[in-house]
Amino acid sequence: MGLFGGRKTVFVDADILVIGGGMAGCGATYESRYWGRDLKIVCVEKANIERSGAVAQGLYAINCYMGMQWGENQPEDHVRYARNDLMGLVREDLGYDIARHVDASVHLFEEWGLPMMKDPKTGRYQREGKWQIMIHGESYKPIVAEAARKAATEVYNRIMVTHLLMDEAKPNRVAGAVGFNVRTGDYHVFRAKAVIVCAGGASHIFKPRAVGEGMGRTWYAPWSSGSCYALPIQVGAKMTQMENRIVLTRFKDGYGPVGAYFLHLKTYTQNGLGEEYEKRWYEDTKALVGEYVDHHPVPTCLRNHAILKELAAGRGPIRMVTKEAFQDPHKETVGWENFLGMTIGQAVVWASQNIDPKHINPELTTSEPYVMGSHATCSGAWASGPEDCAPADYQWGYNRMMTVDGLFGAGDTIGGTAHKFSSGSFAEGRIAAKAAVKYVMEKGRDQPQVSEKEVRDLQQTIYQPLENYRVGRNEIVAGTVSPSYLLPIQGLQRLEKLMDEYVGGISTNYMTNSQLLNRGLELLAMLKEDMSSMGAEDLHQLQRTWELQHRVLASESVTRHTLFRQETRWPGYYYRGDHMKLDDENWHCFTLSRYDRKTGEWAMEKAPVHHIID
Ligand SMILES: Cc1cc2nc3c(=O)[nH]c(=O)nc-3n(C[C@H](O)[C@H](O)[C@H](O)COP(=O)(O)OP(=O)(O)OC[C@H]3O[C@@H](n4cnc5c(N)ncnc54)[C@H](O)[C@@H]3O)c2cc1C
C-alpha cells in the first residue's frame, strides 16, 4: 500500500470556514449563521467541539463581564484596565469593541442554560472581582458547543488543520485549508470564501516545570499547539506582540487558579518567613519601569516580578495564606469547589501531598511561559479594527480581518487585545463572523481558486512522516532512536529545551539577551532542518508531528519579536538582560512581524499605539 493507500480525499466547499471550535470558534459559527442565513458554514476541529479547547473541563468564573445593565462598568473602563495591566500597550479599538459586546454574549450563555451564581440580595450576577462573575461552569463548553452545532451547516470533528490554502489567482487571498482526520487518516480539503482562524494559543513551547510522566500537567491546555499563530504566519499574515508571552502565578504542581482565592476569599501571600514581601521590591521595580509600578491594580507581570525577586533573595517559598479564610465553612466550600469545576487536578495534588489548606498555607509558583492572546497577555495576528472607532492606520477592510485578504481571527488568535478570556473570545468570534459574512456577501461570485497542484503537494508533505517512519524503522535494532528520522516527542523536547535556555524560560528565571536569542535562532534553524525528517508511527504521532511544526513556527516568531523589542517592558514575564529597563521613548509601540514562506525571511517593524480612550 502506497503513501495514500486506503485513504480518501474529502473535498468540502464552504462560504465560511471556522478553524477550531473552542470559545471563539463556537462564537464565530453561531454568529455566521445569524447574518448568513443561506450560507454554508463549516466548523472544523481537531478534537470534538463538545469538550475541546482551553475551557474543555469547565470554568468557575466568566472573567470578562461589564455589567452594563446595572451600571457596574463601562467598556471604556475595561480598556483602561487592560491597558494598565499590559504596561500601556493594547489595541484600544479592538478591546473597546469586545467590551461593548461581551455582556450580550454572557446573557446568551444564561439563556442557553449555563447556571449563573446570583447575589441573593441584589439578584445580580455574583461578582468575584470587578470583571469576573461566578458560574457553575462544568458544562460551559457543551452548552456553547450546542449552539454552534445547531448553527453550523457541518461540523467536522477530529480534523487537524495543518495548512491554509491560498488563491491561485490573487496572491494575498485565502482560499481554504487542508488537514487530516486523526482517526481515519482521510485527507480533507476545505475550499472557502472566508476563513476564521480560532485555533487557540500555545503551551509546550517552553520547557514545563513538570517533566517526564507529568509533562501533560501544564497551566494552559497541553493540546494548545500554536496553530492559531502558525496557520496565519505560514501564509504571510502580520503578527503582533509575540514577545508578550505570559507567566502565571499559580498553586504549585497543580496550576490551580488563584483568582477566586485572592478576589473572593480575600486570601493573600507571604514569603517563607511569613512576611509580606511585595512592598520590599517597590523601589527596585520603580527603577525598572518608572511610574507603572504606582498603577492600580498592580500589573500582573509586576506582581510576578516581586515573587521572583523574593525567591532569588532566598526567602521562598511563596505561600498563599488560606488558613484564615478556610476557617469560614462557606469560604472553605467555595475554595474546593473552585477546583472541582475546572482544575480538579489541584485538589488531587493537595490530597497526595497532605496539604489541607485549612491547616497548611499552600505554595505558589510561577509557570513556564505560554503564548496566547486572550488572558493577561496579547500575542497574535495584526487585525483590522472596527469601522466606527479604529484609527485609520488600524483599518484596511473588514473588522478582525488579518493582513491576508479573507482571513479573519478571534480569541487567542488576535493580538493586542488582552483580558478577553472565555466570554470575550466568544464575543470576538461573533464580531469576526459578522464581518466575514459581509466580506463573502460583498465578494459575490468572486470566488477564490484553489490550485490542484498545491493541494497534491500539501498532501505529500502532510503524510510524509508516516513514510519516513515506515522506511526508517528498519534501521533500528533496539529502542526508538533512528538515524533517519526524528520522533515528535524528541523534537518537542529539543524545542522546549532551547526555548527555555535561550528565550527566557524557567531555567534562566525568564532572563535572555541578544546573544542568547541569536543562538536560539541558530538552534531553531537546525531543528527546522531536521524536521524535514520527522517520523510518525501512526496517525496519533502524525498529529503530534504537525502540532510540533506549528509550535516551532510560533516559537520562532516569539524569539524574533523578543529580539526586536530592545527593552524589558514586562518584568515578571521575561527580562532582556541587555536592556533591563522599560523604554517608553523608543518602545511605546507594537512590534510587527511578517514571515515570507518563499524565502524563510522575517521582516520586523514597529506600529504606533493609538490611545483613543483617555
Ligand atoms: C487553565 C485555564 C483557566 C482559565 N480560566 C478562565 C476563567 O476562569 N474564566 C474565563 O473567562 N476564561 C478563562 N480562561 C481563558 C479561556 O479559556 C480562553 O480565553 C478561551 O478559551 C480562548 O478561546 P479560543 O477559542 O481562542 O481558544 P480555545 O477555547 O482553546 O479553542 C481553540 C480550539 O481550536 C482547536 N484547534 C487547535 N488547533 C487546531 C488545528 N490545528 N486544527 C483544528 N482545530 C484546532 C482546539 O482543539 C480548540 O477546540 C482560562 C484558560 C485556561 C487555559
Side-chain angles (χ1 to χ4, degrees):
M1 207 154 66
L3 187 55
F4 311 123
R7 296 203 180 94
K8 286 187 290 187
T9 298
V10 181
F11 287 93
V12 180
D13 287 313
D15 292 302
I16 308 256
L17 176 67
V18 179
I19 301 177
M23 283 307 291
C26 286
T29 307
Y30 170 79
E31 194 73 7
S32 296
R33 172 61 66 223
Y34 183 86
W35 297 101
R37 294 276 150 185
D38 55 352
L39 295 188
K40 184 162 179 201
I41 321 277
V42 171
C43 177
V44 53
E45 160 63 46
K46 74 173 175 181
N48 185 315
I49 68 167
E50 185 77 4
R51 281 276 175 199
S52 70
V55 180
Q57 65 176 315
L59 294 178
Y60 201 67
I62 287 176
N63 284 351
C64 183
Y65 180 73
M66 304 297 113
M68 282 185 278
Q69 59 174 325
W70 301 303
E72 292 177 334
N73 296 292
Q74 295 304 320
E76 291 84 349
D77 301 328
H78 194 260
V79 173
R80 290 186 196 105
Y81 165 68
R83 178 174 65 200
N84 174 53
D85 199 46
L86 271 291
M87 309 289 278
L89 311 186
V90 286
R91 277 283 299 272
E92 296 183 13
D93 58 323
L94 300 180
Y96 178 78
D97 201 21
I98 293 169
R100 66 180 165 178
H101 290 301
V102 71
D103 283 10
S105 287
V106 174
H107 301 159
L108 280 180
F109 300 153
E110 185 176 22
E111 200 181 307
W112 295 338
L114 181 67
M116 320 289 284
M117 293 191 203
K118 300 265 173 74
D119 182 322
K121 286 197 201 100
T122 61
R124 297 178 183 179
Y125 295 146
Q126 174 73 54
R127 281 278 176 198
E128 180 182 277
K130 188 168 168 58
W131 306 104
Q132 301 82 354
I133 53 172
M134 300 177 79
I135 57 174
H136 295 284
E138 188 278 337
S139 299
Y140 191 10
K141 186 64 207 301
I143 287 168
V144 169
E146 186 183 344
R149 256 199 330 270
K150 286 179 176 160
T153 312
E154 284 160 359
V155 175
Y156 287 84
N157 287 313
R158 307 281 172 207
I159 312 283
M160 164 90 199
V161 173
T162 57
H163 301 80
L164 294 177
L165 290 169
M166 295 300 279
D167 189 350
E168 206 177 6
K170 295 202 180 77
N172 193 39
R173 182 175 177 189
V174 78
V178 294
F180 64 96
N181 186 307
V182 300
R183 295 282 164 85
T184 65
D186 289 346
Y187 182 48
H188 280 254
V189 182
F190 298 94
R191 294 174 293 217
K193 293 177 189 160
V195 175
I196 310 176
V197 176
C198 303
S203 60
H204 280 290
I205 68 172
F206 287 85
K207 189 176 91 184
R209 287 206 183 268
V211 292
E213 64 174 19
M215 74 179 281
R217 184 65 276 209
T218 53
W219 172 77
Y220 207 53
W223 49 82
S224 295
S225 52
S227 297
C228 84
Y229 306 122
L231 293 170
I233 289 172
Q234 277 169 348
V235 295
K238 282 189 182 176
M239 306 303 285
T240 190
Q241 302 297 86
M242 292 297 284
E243 70 279 23
N244 179 223
R245 77 294 289 280
I246 186 169
V247 170
L248 291 302
T249 297
R250 289 290 180 268
F251 286 114
K252 187 164 181 300
D253 297 334
Y255 295 95
V258 295
Y261 279 70
F262 279 128
L263 298 169
H264 194 63
L265 308 185
K266 308 292 182 212
T267 58
Y268 53 95
T269 55
Q270 283 179 345
N271 69 10
L273 305 172
E275 302 163 341
E276 198 284 328
Y277 59 90
E278 272 197 23
K279 289 199 188 86
R280 182 178 284 155
W281 298 106
Y282 174 80
E283 292 300 336
D284 171 273
T285 311
K286 187 151 192 150
L288 293 180
V289 301
E291 52 91 27
Y292 286 93
V293 72
D294 297 320
H295 288 195
H296 188 77
V298 178
T300 309
C301 62
L302 299 186
R303 292 206 305 268
N304 287 353
H305 177 67
I307 291 178
L308 295 173
K309 295 295 287 186
E310 192 65 11
L311 291 174
R315 287 188 289 269
I318 303 298
R319 292 184 187 275
M320 175 82 88
V321 181
T322 50
K323 284 199 279 191
E324 294 165 12
F326 272 56
Q327 300 311 316
D328 172 345
H330 168 69
K331 288 188 175 173
E332 185 183 14
T333 305
V334 172
W336 284 109
E337 279 185 355
N338 187 236
F339 295 149
L340 299 181
M342 66 176 162
T343 316
I344 199 163
Q346 186 65 58
V348 178
V349 167
W350 280 355
S352 72
Q353 296 183 350
N354 282 346
I355 296 171
D356 180 346
K358 198 171 179 175
H359 304 297
I360 295 176
N361 292 329
E363 283 177 57
L364 298 177
T365 194
T366 50
S367 73
E368 62 278 3
Y370 306 99
V371 186
M372 56 187 299
S374 66
H375 211 274
T377 171
C378 60
S379 303
W382 185 239
S384 187
E387 293 77 2
D388 62 336
C389 64
D393 52 344
Y394 291 173
Q395 252 188 81
W396 51 88
Y398 299 80
N399 200 356
R400 267 41 174 214
M401 193 169 88
M402 302 183 204
T403 53
V404 171
D405 214 17
L407 182 60
F408 295 77
D412 280 339
T413 310
I414 296 296
T417 48
H419 289 277
K420 40 194 161 185
F421 293 98
S422 61
S423 47
S425 296
F426 185 90
E428 193 174 40
R430 296 178 65 192
I431 292 168
K434 184 178 176 185
V437 169
K438 188 163 176 254
Y439 173 89
V440 168
M441 303 273 199
E442 287 177 1
K443 289 282 168 193
R445 292 189 187 168
D446 178 13
Q447 190 145 345
Q449 301 301 311
V450 171
S451 147
E452 179 75 11
K453 179 173 179 324
E454 189 182 10
V455 167
R456 288 298 147 218
D457 287 352
L458 284 173
Q459 185 181 25
Q460 178 74 38
T461 305
I462 291 167
Y463 293 97
Q464 188 61 41
L466 291 172
E467 184 70 359
N468 292 348
Y469 181 87
R470 198 179 66 81
V471 175
R473 74 180 165 175
N474 298 318
E475 294 163 352
I476 298 178
V477 285
T480 54
V481 178
S482 162
S484 302
Y485 59 69
L486 187 67
L487 294 175
I489 186 67
Q490 295 163 340
L492 181 68
Q493 287 170 346
R494 202 165 132 188
L495 173 71
E496 290 179 345
K497 178 172 158 60
L498 84 86
M499 291 299 286
D500 180 53
E501 293 175 347
Y502 293 93
V503 193
I506 49 175
S507 302
T508 61
N509 278 326
Y510 313 102
M511 181 65 74
T512 185
N513 61 30
S514 68
Q515 292 83 359
L516 287 164
L517 290 163
N518 278 313
R519 180 60 185 150
L521 286 171
E522 285 169 11
L523 291 170
L524 269 170
M526 289 179 226
L527 175 59
K528 279 167 67 175
E529 204 180 310
D530 290 348
M531 280 171 57
S532 57
S533 307
M534 293 295 299
E537 185 179 356
D538 52 27
L539 290 171
H540 185 70
Q541 293 303 316
L542 191 64
Q543 177 176 4
R544 292 285 176 262
T545 301
W546 284 102
E547 289 177 339
L548 178 63
Q549 296 278 7
H550 288 180
R551 283 188 164 104
V552 168
L553 204 49
S555 300
E556 188 175 0
S557 177
V558 170
T559 310
R560 293 197 179 269
H561 276 255
T562 311
L563 182 61
F564 185 64
R565 182 179 285 283
Q566 294 180 351
E567 65 159 354
T568 299
R569 169 71 45 174
W570 305 278
Y573 285 175
Y574 77 94
Y575 303 85
R576 275 288 302 256
D578 44 354
H579 299 282
M580 276 299 279
K581 291 192 176 179
L582 181 146
D583 176 5
D584 255 345
E585 203 176 313
N586 296 301
W587 291 99
H588 195 92
C589 63
F590 295 114
T591 55
L592 304 190
S593 65
R594 187 177 179 279
Y595 174 71
D596 183 333
R597 63 173 164 169
K598 291 203 183 87
T599 63
E601 298 291 317
W602 295 74
M604 305 297 304
E605 62 181 303
K606 292 180 179 180
V609 174
H610 294 298
H611 295 297
I612 59 172
I613 306 284
D614 60 13

